[in-house]
Amino acid sequence: MKKLMLLGLLAGMFLVASAQDQLQMQDRTLFEELTNIKKKTDKFNLYLNMHGSFDMDFNDGFEKGNFNIRQLRIEAKGQLNDWLSYRYRQRLNRSNDGSNMIDNAPTSIDYAGLGIKFNDKFNLFVGKQCAAYGGIEFDLNPIEIYQYSDMIDNMSNFMTGVTFSYNPIANHQFQLQVLNSLNTGTHATYGVSPEITAAKLPLVYTLNWNGNFNDVFETRWSASAMNEAKKQWMYYYALGNQLNLGKFNMFLTLCIRTKTWTAKVLLPLLFLLTQRAVTTRMMPVICLW
């Protein structure tokens, strides 16, 4: 009888110890998920993107120097199930006032939307998102960029709308996107003028192709049509090409746009040239070793 009691006591101690170990494993797993040390689920991923620098300005000699937090973005995204995902990203060093925006969202918010996967070929993303313009530099993570080219540095890239994606074969994707063409209203953007009437549907329509040929040659091409004012359209084409040869990497983007009028400031894809002009612009060629 004593032996049975002893065995029972030992078994109970073992069960308690086993339960404590499982509880500790659960606590450790939660910690690992939050710290991204050991990933257990893709339902919640939290990122903090930071990019700092020390800037010095020269104009006929040194003028000033200071530390600068160029990028400070917090992002949460995840795959809730097989067909539903979400993404939210916000810049912490930009104004959160969205009262003058046509979508009622501040420009500090880059992404705020839901993704729906219908099958392996068709996807949908609804909400605030990045415009599907072509160009290799345009698609890079902002924290990887020391200084954007003048055009991209002054573009409004994040607007609200919808994107349809089609993946016909592996490594190739086509996107059809419809977004707001402006963040603020037409008159706030271009000024008040009797020649300018606000468009009833200020939207930008973009067709995009992302291709990958054996990880050697990659493409990011797009064609866009924008309506920002009544009877005024702008057309923008961006052909991004990247070549990968082992440790050698380079990209070249050709941008072409046509427009019928000029804004009062540098706006998305406007180069502030003469009316009805057709321009081309070469993006930087970057080689990495």
Side-chain angles (χ1 to χ4, degrees):
M1 187 68 179
K2 292 182 178 180
K3 291 182 179 180
L4 291 176
M5 292 178 61
L6 180 59
L7 290 175
L9 181 60
L10 291 175
M13 294 175 61
F14 174 79
L15 291 175
V16 172
S18 178
Q20 290 178 345
D21 288 342
Q22 291 180 2
L23 183 60
Q24 291 175 358
M25 283 292 292
Q26 292 177 357
D27 292 340
R28 186 163 59 251
T29 301
L30 177 61
F31 172 79
E32 291 169 350
E33 288 180 358
L34 293 177
T35 58
N36 203 29
I37 295 176
K38 186 176 182 180
K39 193 173 181 180
K40 294 294 183 180
T41 180
D42 197 36
K43 293 184 178 180
F44 178 74
N45 298 278
L46 183 65
Y47 303 92
L48 180 62
N49 298 322
M50 301 178 64
H51 178 187
S53 65
F54 183 80
D55 300 339
M56 293 187 292
D57 297 336
F58 294 84
N59 185 15
D60 294 330
F62 176 74
E63 289 188 346
K64 65 176 182 177
N66 61 278
F67 291 99
N68 186 9
I69 302 298
R70 291 175 173 267
Q71 303 289 343
L72 183 59
R73 311 188 189 207
I74 189 169
E75 180 174 1
K77 62 181 179 179
Q79 189 75 34
L80 299 178
N81 52 39
D82 293 339
W83 58 273
L84 183 63
S85 63
Y86 68 93
R87 186 175 184 183
Y88 179 86
R89 189 174 79 185
Q90 185 168 4
R91 280 174 269 190
L92 303 180
N93 53 354
R94 179 169 290 193
S95 172
N96 293 318
D97 183 11
S99 59
N100 295 322
M101 305 300 163
I102 62 175
D103 60 358
N104 202 35
T107 57
S108 63
I109 297 178
D110 294 341
Y111 287 90
L114 295 175
I116 300 175
K117 180 180 180 181
F118 298 106
N119 51 48
D120 291 337
K121 293 184 179 296
F122 294 94
N123 298 274
L124 174 70
F125 190 87
V126 181
K128 191 161 188 182
Q129 56 194 284
C130 184
Y133 300 141
I136 304 301
E137 178 190 16
F138 182 85
D139 195 44
L140 295 176
N141 191 318
I143 65 172
E144 298 177 359
I145 302 295
Y146 175 71
Q147 179 63 51
Y148 279 107
S149 61
D150 290 343
M151 184 192 71
I152 295 181
D153 201 30
N154 292 278
M155 289 170 58
S156 293
N157 303 327
F158 302 98
M159 280 84 75
T160 300
V162 58
T163 300
F164 301 91
S165 301
Y166 172 56
N167 308 291
I169 58 176
N171 299 323
H172 290 271
Q173 181 186 71
F174 294 93
Q175 294 181 333
L176 177 61
Q177 185 182 71
V178 182
L179 303 176
N180 291 333
S181 60
L182 300 167
N183 282 319
T184 57
T186 301
H187 294 305
T189 302
Y190 293 99
V192 178
S193 171
E195 299 178 356
I196 300 176
T197 302
K200 293 183 178 180
L201 290 173
L203 302 175
V204 52
Y205 309 88
T206 299
L207 180 63
N208 169 281
W209 169 44
N210 300 316
N212 187 322
F213 298 88
N214 298 320
D215 294 328
V216 176
F217 180 66
E218 300 177 34
T219 62
R220 184 174 173 84
W221 295 5
S222 71
S224 302
M226 307 176 195
N227 183 211
E228 298 183 337
K230 186 178 180 179
K231 297 182 179 180
Q232 303 290 344
W233 286 82
M234 185 187 341
Y235 303 93
Y236 174 69
Y237 311 91
L239 307 178
N241 307 274
Q242 180 164 307
L243 181 64
N244 305 306
L245 298 174
K247 295 183 178 181
F248 177 81
N249 170 282
M250 65 176 293
F251 69 77
L252 175 67
T253 299
L254 174 66
C255 302
I256 305 173
R257 75 95 179 87
T258 65
K259 65 186 180 66
T260 57
W261 53 316
T262 303
K264 65 179 181 180
V265 295
L266 188 60
L267 291 168
L269 314 176
L270 293 179
F271 302 147
L272 301 182
L273 298 180
T274 58
Q275 293 184 354
R276 297 188 181 277
V278 178
T279 63
T280 61
R281 175 164 183 159
M282 295 295 181
M283 303 294 285
V285 177
I286 298 180
C287 301
L288 303 175
W289 286 268

